[in-house]
Amino acid sequence: MALTDARLGRVRPAPENFLSDEQIQSVKEGRRDFLRKAFIAASAAAAAPAVAHAQSAGDPAILELQPWSTMLGKPVAANPYGMPSMYERNLVRRESPGLTRVGGSSVAFTPLQGLFGIITPSGLHFERHHQGWVDIDPNKHRLMINGLVKTDAVFTMDDIMRLPSVSRIHFIECGANTGMEWGNVAVPTVQYSHGMISCSEFTGVPLKAILDMCGADYRKGRFILAEGADGSSMTRTIPMEMVESGEVLVAYGMNGEMLRPENGYPLRLVVPGVQGVSWVKWLRRIEVGDMPWATKDEAVHYIDLMPDGLHRQYSSIQECKSVITTPSGGQTLLDKGFYNVSGLAWSGRGKITRVDVSTDGGINWRTARLETPVLSKALTRFNIDWVWDGKPAILQSRAMDDTGYVQPSYGQLRAVRGTKSIYHNNAIQSWKVVESGEVSNVQVL
Amino acid sequence: MSRFSKTLIALALAVGTAAPVLAFDRYQGIGRAATAAEVQAWDIDVRPDFAGLPKGSGDAIRGMDIWEAQCASCHGYFAESNEVFTPLVGGTTPADIDSGRVAALINDSFPQRTTMMKVPTVSTLWDYINRAMPWTAPKSLSADEVYSLVAFLLNLAEVIPDDFELNQDSIREVQQRMPNRNGMTTDHGMWPGAPASKGGIGNGGRPDVRATACMKDCKREVVLASALPEHAQDAHGNLAEQNRPVGGVRGVQTGPSTAEQAPADPLLALATEKGCMACHGVASKIIGPGYNEIAARYRDQAGAQALLVGKVKGGGQGTWGAIPMPPQSHLADEEIDQLVRWILSGAKAQ
């Protein structure tokens, strides 16, 4: 049934003047090879399926031999470092216009609306730099350990890469992800609302092993300071408990290759579950100390303003959160009928245990399928079936983690934290679907 | 080969120095002890208890000269500018200095949240200016210069008088006058280490919001609190070109397709990449003059090309106002030459 012209669905009117008289004549004569291009130019929207079924003899994509079936393809290593298809060029990192004035202290967001599974392609990993990014000569890079240790020490990259390594999949989310949306809807798509998150397989050495070598004083030294080698030499305080658990890594690998320079080549800290600013890039130094440092990014920025005028300092954990990535804001559903609603869930406290999805703005919920692997402090992909009846709908997802924490609504979150916090907005995201199939960003209390 | 030799030298150093050996029973031959000079070179952090603070001194009067030469172009003469970064000074009062709480954070009486409204610890200012400023030449300030700049900012915020000598000792008194010194709380559940009761921070991870996972008839009606404002619909470009052209959805058309737009100007791209556009618009002034304003003034002047190349390279002040343009040492000569030609030939915005 669904494969015939009598399929469920509505025909969207073509954009005005979409076809010229001449082109209409061509269609009548059975020529339609230009159609695909014309559609993209006139409107990237939804009419394509209707056209594909307009001719009763069958689909020209089948009936007519396509160029790629009748030509010699390109040789091996034509792209020594492979690139995505030219048809995928829309899915790139993007800045949010007006968010910042200087590219060196800005954000480029990951295009979550087009990604699958849980691993972010390295070239699409979000970027957040405080004073521009640098490409460091790995043979001149050093890691220094000092402070409350028996021996202040220096390690080369050669040293670090000789040590026993581990590889672990974790998400990294900027503390300010969804920060533009605290007070009201501000951005159109999930790329800008949630795109300061990525998830990769990181390879490196547990920091604990290196601190052990230096004879760290674990009794007095309950905090570490991590410092970058770039111009900003960014610093953050991290609890020694996390180092002792073995989960904090000194990482050089990301998704099977070395870190990209934008992500800290050749060495960065991995602090699972904690906001991205603590994953210090271009890591040059770890100091062991007996008190927190109140660095710029823990005394001026990355502090959460509460309604009583106090700022929460050293707020670090990224609490349980989720978002539907398809369909999402700025997209149009092609037609009525079946959809695989797909999204991402994560928690800085552990594993995702359940994700529920609502299509009526949170009145009723159904439990989604969690796709494997489901890992601690990693993105988890969820999917759920949905048949869109062409009526208005509001899509939401709500995640739970293995501490029992349930992702809150905007109403619940604002009741405690107000709207001026900037950081750590983990409220339930709502996408409104209207009759035309257009999806937009809304907030439901 | 050269890399190999360096490695050998490094190993020789590790073996040859008298410093204590690392506890590497398991990982023999990995790492070495740091020299005192190495630790001194990199251990630059300053803590709230002033551990790590170098000796030195400065005052606001000396600070003003450094400020105007190296800081004002981004932050404004009075550290009040909102053009490039959020303002540093403003929104604090003498009453705040007494109480240690900034009232404007409670009553919203100031339009921005400035650095001085937020920062509780004076050590943070010293540490950050020292490690990361100025923006294009970090770590180029002497300790005395950093003291002077901190004094300048504190004086603008009326925390200290302009002849106050700020040094490694007097900075402790200043801490007692920081306007938001009592404005932080660590009573929250978002610190991933031990709680305050065990020598750490916070409440041990107890969340502040307790939601429940209701499944059916969870509320009577759906209250829409906010939707994307009309003016923001196309503020992020054409969404059709930010989505995949295949799958169950397409991006909504919210602007002209790039195919219809003029090809990108490589020199505008260069100016953007090199950070020029942070201070200059094409048509109009941001901090410095717009490129078209520069062209209008110099176009018919003999030697304009060489004159402007010199200004970009060496910096300048006074032609367009008091805010100086710092020297642009990160640009190659060839790039400066091309950019100036582009400006004088009537650069166009896209």
Side-chain angles (χ1 to χ4, degrees):
Chain A
M1 181 68 181
L3 296 174
T4 72
D5 283 353
R7 64 210 284 273
L8 188 70
R10 94 225 111 86
V11 178
R12 285 169 55 85
E16 213 173 334
N17 301 325
F18 164 57
L19 297 181
S20 67
D21 292 345
E22 194 185 343
Q23 287 170 325
I24 291 168
Q25 190 55 37
S26 301
V27 175
K28 284 179 182 163
E29 289 165 7
R31 289 196 292 116
R32 53 202 10 265
D33 49 330
F34 65 89
L35 268 180
R36 193 180 312 266
K37 255 189 187 166
F39 255 107
I40 291 165
S43 152
V51 171
H53 289 269
Q55 192 182 44
S56 58
D59 186 346
I62 297 168
L63 296 179
E64 293 168 16
L65 277 171
Q66 302 297 321
W68 46 85
S69 304
T70 56
M71 68 188 283
L72 173 62
K74 291 174 185 151
V76 298
N79 296 323
Y81 194 103
M83 295 292 288
S85 159
M86 61 181 282
Y87 300 101
E88 293 295 308
R89 61 178 177 266
N90 290 352
L91 282 311
V92 293
R93 294 190 285 226
R94 293 175 192 274
E95 283 188 88
S96 181
L99 180 62
T100 57
R101 296 295 294 270
V102 192
S105 176
S106 190
V107 179
F109 296 83
T110 293
L112 297 177
Q113 70 274 20
L115 302 187
F116 313 116
I118 62 170
I119 298 293
T120 310
S122 294
L124 297 178
H125 189 297
F126 80 93
E127 290 179 81
R128 167 61 172 130
H129 313 309
H130 291 243
Q131 210 155 340
W133 62 274
V134 290
D135 199 356
I136 292 177
D137 177 349
N139 278 306
K140 292 184 180 166
H141 189 72
R142 303 289 182 266
L143 175 67
M144 179 183 288
I145 311 289
N146 74 318
L148 296 175
V149 292
K150 278 205 188 79
T151 311
D152 295 336
V154 173
F155 297 85
T156 62
M157 286 304 297
D158 296 341
D159 288 329
I160 293 164
M161 294 171 79
R162 281 169 65 184
L163 288 169
S165 69
V166 296
S167 294
R168 291 181 193 148
I169 295 172
H170 289 298
F171 78 82
I172 168 172
E173 181 184 22
C174 177
N177 200 21
T178 325
M180 288 184 276
E181 303 262 306
W182 261 110
N184 51 269
V185 171
V187 295
T189 75
V190 71
Q191 177 159 17
Y192 306 108
S193 67
H194 289 75
M196 282 197 273
I197 188 163
S198 297
C199 184
S200 300
E201 183 198 60
F202 294 96
T203 297
V205 180
L207 177 58
K208 172 85 164 45
I210 293 174
L211 293 190
D212 285 351
M213 288 171 73
C214 303
D217 181 348
Y218 292 109
R219 196 180 56 80
K220 276 164 68 185
R222 299 313 300 165
F223 301 90
I224 64 161
L225 180 78
E227 178 181 83
D230 60 315
S232 78
S233 292
M234 221 205 56
T235 41
R236 279 282 299 189
T237 303
I238 292 147
M240 187 62 96
E241 290 81 12
M242 282 197 78
V243 178
E244 288 172 308
S245 76
E247 61 185 329
V248 175
L249 306 182
V250 171
Y252 44 82
M254 186 166 100
N255 296 332
E257 57 185 4
M258 286 293 278
L259 291 163
R260 298 289 172 92
E262 299 96 312
N263 305 121
Y265 182 94
L267 200 64
R268 87 173 305 169
L269 204 63
V270 167
V271 192
V274 168
Q275 60 188 355
V277 67
S278 293
W279 298 43
V280 172
K281 295 186 281 191
W282 312 292
L283 181 72
R284 79 167 190 184
R285 192 169 68 93
I286 298 284
E287 182 169 338
V288 178
D290 58 6
M291 62 181 283
W293 274 261
T295 70
K296 183 262 285 177
D297 290 305
E298 46 202 29
V300 178
H301 303 301
Y302 302 89
I303 52 177
D304 310 20
L305 182 58
M306 294 293 113
D308 62 1
L310 286 171
H311 281 95
R312 286 183 178 171
Q313 196 175 20
Y314 304 112
S315 51
S316 303
I317 293 175
Q318 295 298 110
E319 294 185 304
C320 185
K321 184 170 171 181
S322 68
V323 67
I324 293 169
T325 53
T326 310
S328 59
Q331 296 180 334
T332 296
L333 299 171
L334 283 185
D335 215 333
K336 289 190 241 181
F338 183 85
Y339 286 88
N340 177 51
V341 173
S342 187
L344 294 165
W346 61 97
S347 169
R349 288 201 176 90
K351 277 189 190 180
I352 292 297
T353 52
R354 198 174 105 194
V355 177
D356 299 324
V357 170
S358 172
T359 57
D360 61 9
I363 297 172
N364 297 293
W365 299 80
R366 292 184 294 143
T367 298
R369 304 184 298 274
L370 300 186
E371 306 304 334
T372 54
V374 178
L375 301 168
S376 180
K377 304 179 185 179
L379 289 187
T380 297
R381 175 64 65 173
F382 66 86
N383 290 304
I384 191 167
D385 298 353
W386 182 46
V387 177
W388 182 47
D389 58 9
K391 294 184 183 138
I394 293 176
L395 305 181
Q396 299 180 320
S397 64
R398 178 182 68 193
M400 279 152 267
D401 68 20
D402 58 4
T403 68
Y405 179 92
V406 179
Q407 184 184 2
S409 68
Y410 265 102
Q412 291 164 327
L413 198 58
R414 285 180 184 151
V416 177
R417 300 193 200 162
T419 58
K420 299 189 290 184
S421 165
I422 300 178
Y423 303 97
H424 304 113
N425 177 359
N426 68 326
I428 290 172
Q429 171 67 42
S430 304
W431 303 119
K432 183 175 153 194
V433 183
V434 294
E435 281 101 335
S436 67
E438 204 167 305
V439 187
S440 65
N441 186 2
V442 297
Q443 289 181 353
V444 173
L445 292 179
Chain B
M1 274 315 286
S2 62
R3 191 169 69 88
F4 190 58
S5 330
K6 274 185 199 160
T7 311
L8 285 180
I9 292 164
L11 279 173
L13 270 175
V15 173
T17 48
V21 196
L22 299 184
F24 34 27
D25 298 345
R26 270 183 81 182
Y27 308 127
Q28 290 183 30
I30 308 263
R32 63 171 176 84
T35 69
E38 288 171 338
V39 174
Q40 195 191 357
W42 275 11
D43 185 5
I44 59 171
D45 62 86
V46 179
R47 296 200 310 193
D49 63 352
F50 303 107
L53 180 67
K55 285 184 178 157
S57 70
D59 59 45
I61 295 164
R62 278 178 281 171
M64 188 166 73
D65 290 337
I66 307 163
W67 182 268
E68 290 180 0
Q70 302 201 53
C71 317
S73 55
C74 283
H75 295 296
Y77 263 104
F78 302 101
E80 83 300 349
S81 172
N82 198 27
E83 295 286 349
V84 185
F85 300 103
T86 44
L88 302 183
V89 173
T92 59
T93 66
D96 298 343
I97 292 171
D98 289 341
S99 67
R101 286 287 305 274
V102 170
L105 291 172
I106 306 165
N107 60 27
D108 289 328
S109 58
F110 198 75
Q112 289 109 12
R113 282 179 244 169
T114 68
T115 295
M116 281 306 299
M117 285 166 67
K118 295 185 285 184
V119 65
T121 33
V122 66
S123 60
T124 307
L125 297 176
W126 207 101
D127 175 276
Y128 181 64
I129 293 170
N130 180 54
R131 71 173 56 246
M133 290 293 117
W135 175 251
T136 54
K139 304 180 190 68
S140 61
L141 298 165
S142 69
D144 286 349
E145 287 175 324
V146 176
Y147 276 108
S148 290
L149 287 170
V150 173
F152 176 75
L153 290 174
L154 293 169
N155 175 241
L156 285 179
E158 298 175 338
V159 175
I160 57 172
D162 60 8
D163 60 352
F164 184 93
E165 187 188 291
L166 189 69
N167 59 37
Q168 68 281 353
D169 300 316
S170 66
I171 199 168
R172 291 167 191 272
E173 305 161 30
V174 174
Q175 176 58 41
Q176 298 314 310
R177 292 176 54 78
M178 289 298 281
N180 202 39
R181 64 187 178 277
N182 299 323
M184 296 285 148
T185 176
T186 52
D187 183 18
H188 58 73
M190 293 168 78
W191 174 249
S197 59
K198 292 181 179 166
I201 291 172
N203 67 22
R206 193 174 65 249
D208 56 354
V209 178
R210 304 292 283 186
T212 52
C214 167
M215 295 301 284
K216 206 167 161 47
D217 300 326
C218 302
K219 52 189 171 186
R220 287 213 182 126
E221 55 171 357
V222 175
V223 181
L224 273 192
S226 175
L228 192 65
E230 196 67 37
H231 65 82
Q233 301 283 350
D234 52 4
H236 284 73
N238 183 6
L239 303 178
E241 295 183 340
Q242 300 180 23
N243 279 274
R244 185 169 282 122
V246 68
V249 294
R250 298 290 186 276
V252 177
Q253 192 90 19
T254 52
S257 72
T258 45
E260 295 159 17
Q261 291 165 5
D265 183 340
L267 282 156
L268 181 61
L270 180 67
T272 306
E273 183 201 327
K274 296 297 179 181
C276 314
M277 307 306 290
C279 296
H280 300 277
V282 171
S284 57
K285 175 180 181 279
I286 297 177
I287 296 167
Y291 293 139
N292 297 351
E293 296 173 303
I294 298 171
R297 177 175 293 189
Y298 288 100
R299 193 178 288 127
D300 302 323
Q301 192 173 316
Q305 174 75 19
L307 177 76
L308 293 180
V309 164
K311 281 175 182 268
V312 177
K313 253 190 213 175
Q317 185 183 12
T319 316
W320 298 93
I323 294 179
M325 165 148 162
Q328 304 297 309
S329 54
H330 64 298
L331 287 166
D333 287 356
E334 174 66 13
E335 290 171 333
I336 296 176
D337 199 58
Q338 285 178 347
L339 285 169
V340 170
R341 265 176 223 291
W342 173 67
I343 291 165
L344 286 173
S345 69
K348 283 194 174 57
Q350 293 278 295

